[in-house]
Amino acid sequence: MADKGPRIFSGIQPTGGLHLGNYLGALRNFVELQATHECIYCVVDLHAITAPHDPSELRQNTYEAVAAFLAAGVDARAHIIFNQARVAAHSELAWVFNCVARYGWLDRMTQFKEKVGKHRAKASVGLWVYPNLMAADILAYKAQKVPVGDDQRQHLELVRDIAQKFNHDFCPKDEPFFPLPEPLILKSGGRVMSLRDGTRKMSKSEPSSMSRILLTDDADAIAQKIRKAKTDALPCPAERDELPQRPEAANLIGIFAALANKPQETVLADYGGKPFSAFKADLAALTISTITPIGAEMARLLGDVTHLEQIMSDGAARAQAIARPIMKKVKELVGFAV
Ligand code: AQP
């Protein structure tokens, strides 16, 4: 794998059914990055337990996420797919980073504040130190690049701060141990928003199932969700500058453009002034033709859990082989007598 280009690490949480947002914002890009990078793709089950969860659902969601990686086109032989809990380096290094990161750094993380709102005292400590585990995920492999959406930029800054402080505290000045990982700006995808509210992102944890298109939805379900997707009373927008005031329309135009691999301007020109019903029918057909083959392949893969287990254990063994010497050196630098 050494000659495949820079090493990247990225993950998906097994917190529920994967949706169109996960596909356009993550999976599809993960597939593309294989050509130019050495990819480590992880189902981050340790992150998933930072919120209350049902153990049997977690296991099933983990299989489903592995199946989604494969069905979308990730090559598990050329690259690595595994689940985080199989490689102890993530937890071990996260503990070291809990002691490297400063309280004040975590106190600034806006995602934690947004997620817990007024219920801060009831949040798990794991959710609070989530960015330290993310730092461990990336640095356990000395990944150089991390594909991130806007919401993860602040966390990646923290990862860089942790790497820098570790290097400062434990390494000779001219021999830093950890690289400072760079964000990998993805060229397409953007943020896919809820089909019920164009100002909120499409999310696994949103209560309404009509807000998201699952990768496992059949053609009828997809068509129905798009037909019922919220719009406004006007016809389809024709100009880009109409979009900020029309979030639901903007979202559907964005999804169409992403799925069709076309600039938004082309979609606006094609549908501007037409009724939403016509646009939605074409959007449904496009979504169905992209998503249902992935869903069908996921169903096939989920029928053979033994095969998925093999993929995960083989991926974990290869991940471990990369992380082992890195962890050995971390322990030596920190001063553990092991
Ligand atoms: N709506 C979205 N649009 C574009 N990209 C998205 N991603 C998630 N939602 C969208 C991207 O998918 C990858 C995996 O995300 P995750 O599963 O680790 O967690 P998340 O971002 O928190 O996704 P959800 O669906 O909102 O999960 P819950 O509800 O559990 O918090 C990431 O690359 C993410 O950017």
Side-chain angles (χ1 to χ4, degrees):
M1 301 224 306
D3 57 352
K4 289 211 161 128
R7 181 177 293 158
I8 60 174
F9 179 95
S10 198
I12 285 194
Q13 292 193 66
T15 39
L18 296 178
H19 50 71
L20 184 65
N22 296 128
Y23 176 69
L24 291 175
L27 285 171
R28 190 171 77 161
N29 298 307
F30 292 173
V31 173
E32 238 180 73
L33 290 167
Q34 297 180 106
T36 45
H37 293 77
E38 175 194 344
C39 304
I40 303 179
Y41 293 139
C42 187
V43 181
V44 289
D45 43 12
L46 299 180
H47 285 279
I49 66 164
T50 56
H53 74 284
D54 173 329
S56 61
E57 277 180 22
L58 175 61
R59 200 164 294 118
Q60 188 55 33
N61 289 338
T62 302
Y63 293 137
E64 196 181 295
V66 172
F69 275 120
L70 296 170
V74 175
D75 179 346
R77 271 193 297 242
H79 300 273
I80 292 178
I81 302 174
F82 72 111
N83 61 314
Q84 204 182 14
R86 287 179 189 249
V87 178
H90 294 260
S91 316
E92 281 189 306
L93 190 56
W95 178 255
V96 174
F97 289 166
N98 282 344
C99 303
V100 170
R102 302 293 89 185
Y103 188 94
W105 298 358
L106 287 169
D107 211 25
R108 286 196 287 274
M109 294 299 113
T110 52
Q111 197 180 74
F112 177 79
K113 290 179 197 161
E114 280 162 19
K115 277 203 168 170
V116 300
K118 292 194 289 285
H119 309 290
R120 192 184 178 98
K122 289 196 176 143
S124 74
V125 176
L127 187 63
W128 165 249
V129 294
Y130 181 112
N132 295 348
L133 178 58
M134 178 173 156
D137 298 337
I138 297 163
L139 295 172
Y141 305 100
K142 290 194 174 184
Q144 292 132 298
K145 295 201 176 181
V146 186
V148 280
D150 274 351
D151 56 341
Q152 289 296 329
R153 271 170 192 272
Q154 194 186 28
H155 288 166
L156 190 62
E157 275 306 311
L158 188 91
V159 174
R160 291 166 61 88
D161 290 343
I162 289 174
Q164 214 152 15
K165 182 159 167 55
F166 183 96
N167 291 342
H168 174 270
D169 290 354
F170 301 115
C171 308
K173 231 187 169 66
D174 50 349
E175 278 177 57
F177 181 64
F178 285 121
L180 304 189
E182 301 280 345
L184 193 84
I185 310 301
L186 301 168
K187 66 174 187 298
S188 67
R191 196 115 287 240
V192 177
M193 309 309 273
S194 159
L195 299 181
R196 311 300 305 160
D197 177 352
T199 63
R200 294 167 62 86
K201 79 165 187 159
M202 187 177 284
S203 165
K204 302 187 211 92
S205 50
E206 167 69 37
S208 167
S209 63
M210 294 302 281
S211 69
R212 59 185 166 268
I213 291 166
L214 296 176
L215 299 185
T216 49
D217 276 343
D218 62 20
D220 287 347
I222 295 173
Q224 195 201 25
K225 287 177 183 180
I226 292 181
R227 206 168 42 245
K228 297 210 160 172
K230 189 176 166 195
T231 47
D232 49 39
L234 302 170
C236 282
E239 303 291 337
R240 221 174 217 290
D241 56 13
E242 294 176 55
L243 299 181
Q245 299 81 358
R246 303 180 63 188
E248 283 80 22
N251 185 37
L252 297 182
I253 297 281
I255 293 172
F256 195 115
L259 286 171
N261 282 312
K262 285 182 180 169
Q264 293 202 3
E265 282 72 12
T266 312
V267 183
L268 291 166
D270 288 349
Y271 291 96
K274 293 191 178 155
F276 269 109
S277 52
F279 169 73
K280 281 180 168 182
D282 289 355
L283 177 59
L286 183 58
T287 311
I288 289 165
S289 68
T290 309
I291 296 303
T292 55
I294 296 173
E297 179 61 2
M298 282 173 68
R300 191 188 71 76
L301 289 161
L302 284 163
D304 186 357
V305 166
T306 312
H307 173 64
L308 295 175
E309 289 270 358
Q310 270 161 8
I311 300 272
M312 289 191 272
S313 87
D314 172 64
R318 285 184 289 134
Q320 215 142 22
I322 300 171
R324 197 176 296 118
I326 295 172
M327 281 312 296
K328 186 168 181 293
K329 186 70 183 170
V330 166
K331 289 177 184 176
E332 190 186 306
L333 289 167
V334 169
F336 291 143
V338 290

